[in-house]
């Protein structure tokens, strides 16, 4: 995966956005650039596609990436021509707040293989509270119409829900089903008040676990919806090796993904944006080195690849480490100053995964209901 940070511009002012995050600013993320130019994007794409990887996934991020629509469409058109010269599979995705989509854009995305994932906080209350416009007005009613339009073109669109207040999780699920989503992902968002707060972490875990029970009950009646983080944790627990890079052991940064920031600096993962100690350098300076050579010889990648949960003191004897893998390397580093530390949400992961595993072990039908209720027989056989 290559995450492309194509613009810093946005039409919302989300309360938890990295652009207003003090720790991010502290890292030196003070760029005055607003867009990553198509000319630069095209050269980056050529460099990446010369790798020996059989599959490359380009993910457009921001800001709000649709505000760089011309750059994105020109990029995809160029890459689609280039990939035909090689025996290499290439795919595209975009993480968007959904507000700028139209019939024309959606038709183009459908025709050119651009997959859509929407950042949406689930209900009128949570969306307006956490994802307002710059003037403070809520965005819910505007986004609701856009979501229906997006789902009419892409029925499997995933809603990525950032959860600040765990008590709203039940109403979030109810509204997502009503809107018509089949897939969503919950991402806990913490601030100084909740950082390393065991009470908040346990509350988040309890509501997330309750959600898992709800999903089993709902999908038993009729296959309806899954939560991606629950799915990925179960896959990690029941497979010999983790498949999802953000819970991988060792960390997948630099081996399974790289990221390009607004200034065309290359990082092993977008979670490290702004901290130059974790940058491979500016694209112009490193582009003469083949990407495979750069990554295999990099001290940064070697260091990240050494992070395994059995080397983290708090994780070594933990009975759920296989499920979270010590979780996010970057968050551990920025919280404690070392990658060999546990994630700030450790209490949440431990409480949630332990009880999720118990749910699946004690009720075998829960596994297919949480992983893919539309293909129950196939899922059961695969495990």
């Amino acid at each position: 995966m290559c995450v492309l940070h194509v613009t810093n511009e946005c039409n919302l002012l989300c309360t938890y956005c990295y652009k207003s995050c003090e720790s991010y600013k502290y890292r030196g993320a003070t760029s005055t650039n607003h867009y990553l130019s198509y000319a630069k994007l095209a050269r980056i794409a050529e460099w990446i596609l010369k790798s020996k990887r059989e599959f490359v996934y380009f993910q457009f991020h921001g800001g709000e990436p649709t505000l760089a629509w011309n750059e994105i469409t020109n990029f995809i058109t160029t890459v689609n021509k280039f990939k035909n010269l090689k025996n290499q599979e290439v795919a595209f995705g975009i993480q968007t707040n959904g507000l700028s989509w139209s019939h024309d854009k959606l038709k183009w995305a459908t025709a050119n293989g651009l997959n859509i994932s929407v950042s949406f906080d689930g209900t009128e209350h949570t969306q307006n509270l956490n994802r307002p416009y710059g003037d403070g007005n809520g965005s819910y009613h505007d986004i609701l119409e856009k979501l229906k339009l997006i789902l009419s073109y892409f029925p499997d669109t995933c809603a990525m829900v950032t959860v600040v207040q765990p008590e709203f999780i039940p109403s979030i699920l109810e509204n997502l089903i009503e809107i018509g989503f089949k897939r969503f992902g919950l991402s806990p968002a913490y601030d100084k008040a909740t950082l390393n707060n065991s009470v908040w972490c346990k509350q988040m875990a309890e509501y997330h676990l309750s959600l898992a029970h709800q999903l089993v009950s709902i999908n038993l009646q009729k296959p309806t919806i899954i939560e991606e983080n629950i799915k990925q944790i179960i896959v990690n627990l029941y497979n010999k090796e983790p498949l999802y890079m953000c819970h991988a052991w060792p960390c997948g940064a630099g081996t399974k993904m790289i990221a390009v920031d607004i200034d065309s600096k290359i990082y092993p993962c977008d979670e490290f944006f702004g901290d130059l100690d974790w940058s491979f350098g500016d694209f112009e300076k490193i582009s003469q080195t083949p990407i495979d050579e750069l990554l295999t010889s990099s001290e940064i990648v070697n260091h990240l690849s050494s992070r395994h949960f059995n080397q983290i003191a708090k994780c070594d004897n933990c009975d759920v480490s296989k499920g979270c893998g010590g979780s996010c390397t970057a968050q551990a580093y920025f919280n404690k100053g070392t990658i060999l530390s546990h994630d700030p949400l450790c209490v949440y992961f431990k409480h949630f995964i332990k009880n999720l595993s118990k749910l699946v072990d004690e009720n075998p039908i829960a596994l297919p209901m949480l992983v893919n209720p539309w293909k129950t027989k196939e899922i059961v056989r695969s495990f």
Side-chain angles (χ1 to χ4, degrees):
M1 174 183 280
C2 175
V3 177
L4 297 170
H5 189 91
V6 291
T7 180
N8 269 343
E9 295 294 300
C10 194
N11 43 14
L12 290 180
L13 191 62
C14 302
T15 58
Y16 45 69
C17 181
Y18 70 90
K19 290 179 73 175
S20 61
C21 174
E22 291 182 12
S23 65
Y24 189 87
K25 291 179 180 178
Y26 178 76
R27 300 179 211 171
T30 55
S31 174
T32 57
N33 290 331
H34 297 285
Y35 294 92
L36 194 56
S37 71
Y38 162 67
K40 184 65 67 69
L41 283 167
R43 293 184 57 218
I44 291 170
E46 183 179 5
W47 179 65
I48 292 170
L49 292 173
K50 286 181 179 178
S51 75
K52 296 178 181 178
R53 302 296 174 99
E54 295 178 357
F55 176 72
V56 179
Y57 186 84
F58 291 104
Q59 177 82 357
F60 301 103
H61 258 266
E64 170 47 38
T66 57
L67 300 182
W69 185 248
N70 288 338
E71 287 82 359
I72 289 173
T73 55
N74 287 333
F75 175 88
I76 292 176
T77 300
T78 299
V79 170
N80 278 335
K81 291 178 180 177
F82 186 84
K83 73 178 184 181
N84 292 331
L85 303 176
K86 300 183 65 180
N87 185 24
Q88 189 177 52
E89 185 179 356
V90 180
F92 309 94
I94 186 169
Q95 187 65 43
T96 172
N97 63 31
L99 288 167
S100 297
W101 289 90
S102 62
H103 282 288
D104 287 343
K105 285 180 179 177
L106 288 163
K107 288 177 182 176
W108 192 95
T110 303
N112 291 275
L114 175 59
N115 300 299
I116 298 175
S117 182
V118 179
S119 299
F120 169 61
D121 280 3
T123 69
E124 181 173 1
H125 176 75
T126 51
Q127 177 77 8
N128 289 343
L129 182 66
N130 301 323
R131 303 180 65 80
Y133 288 107
D135 60 6
N137 287 322
S139 59
Y140 179 78
H141 289 292
D142 292 337
I143 189 58
L144 188 59
E145 293 304 312
K146 296 292 186 176
L147 292 176
K148 293 176 181 177
L149 179 63
I150 292 169
L151 286 167
S152 71
Y153 283 86
F154 293 90
D156 290 326
T157 296
C158 184
M160 301 306 297
V161 182
T162 302
V163 181
V164 181
Q165 307 88 359
E167 63 270 22
F168 294 123
I169 288 178
S171 57
I172 288 171
L173 173 62
E174 181 180 347
N175 205 43
L176 289 173
I177 292 174
E178 184 176 341
I179 292 170
F181 282 102
K182 297 179 181 178
R183 300 167 55 232
F184 70 108
L186 291 183
S187 299
Y190 53 85
D191 54 22
K192 287 182 178 179
T194 55
L195 186 64
N196 297 311
N197 184 325
S198 61
V199 174
W200 181 86
C201 284
K202 285 183 179 179
Q203 185 186 29
M204 180 67 75
E206 288 293 341
Y207 275 102
H208 205 170
L209 184 65
S210 177
L211 172 71
H213 283 273
Q214 284 181 274
L215 291 173
V216 172
S217 178
I218 289 168
N219 288 331
L220 273 171
Q221 296 179 46
K222 179 184 177 182
T224 302
I225 192 169
I226 61 170
E227 199 276 296
E228 290 292 337
N229 288 310
I230 290 175
K231 171 184 173 180
Q232 298 297 346
I233 286 172
I234 290 174
V235 169
N236 273 16
L237 286 170
Y238 290 89
N239 277 279
K240 292 181 179 179
E241 294 183 2
L243 302 180
Y244 181 50
M245 68 183 72
C246 289
H247 294 315
W249 24 270
C251 180
T255 55
K256 296 183 179 181
M257 73 175 295
I258 61 168
V260 185
D261 76 0
I262 194 70
D263 297 314
S264 72
K265 290 184 175 62
I266 312 296
Y267 291 82
C269 171
D270 57 319
E271 291 290 338
F272 288 106
F273 277 175
D275 190 321
L276 297 181
D277 289 339
W278 292 99
S279 173
F280 299 122
D282 186 273
F283 171 71
E284 297 298 343
K285 295 181 180 179
I286 66 174
S287 58
Q288 299 306 311
T289 304
I291 185 170
D292 294 317
E293 180 182 331
L294 173 74
L295 296 180
T296 54
S297 64
S298 168
E299 292 183 5
I300 291 175
V301 175
N302 290 336
H303 184 44
L304 290 171
S305 297
S306 71
R307 187 179 190 261
H308 192 286
F309 63 77
N310 61 17
Q311 296 180 325
I312 301 171
K314 196 169 181 178
C315 304
D316 187 24
N317 295 317
C318 177
D319 53 2
V320 302
S321 294
K322 187 179 177 183
C324 75
S327 210
C328 182
T329 302
Q331 295 305 321
Y333 172 78
F334 290 118
N335 185 39
K336 295 291 186 180
T338 173
I339 66 169
L340 294 179
S341 175
H342 56 278
D343 189 287
L345 293 179
C346 176
V347 173
Y348 153 77
F349 280 115
K350 186 168 185 175
H351 192 70
F352 174 60
I353 296 174
K354 183 177 182 178
N355 287 284
L356 179 64
S357 178
K358 183 179 178 181
L359 167 63
V360 174
D361 287 341
E362 293 180 353
N363 184 10
I365 195 62
L367 189 149
M369 292 301 104
L370 294 171
V371 174
N372 191 337
W374 298 275
K375 295 186 177 181
T376 303
K377 293 181 181 179
E378 289 88 339
I379 296 298
V380 170
R381 280 199 297 268
S382 70
F383 283 87

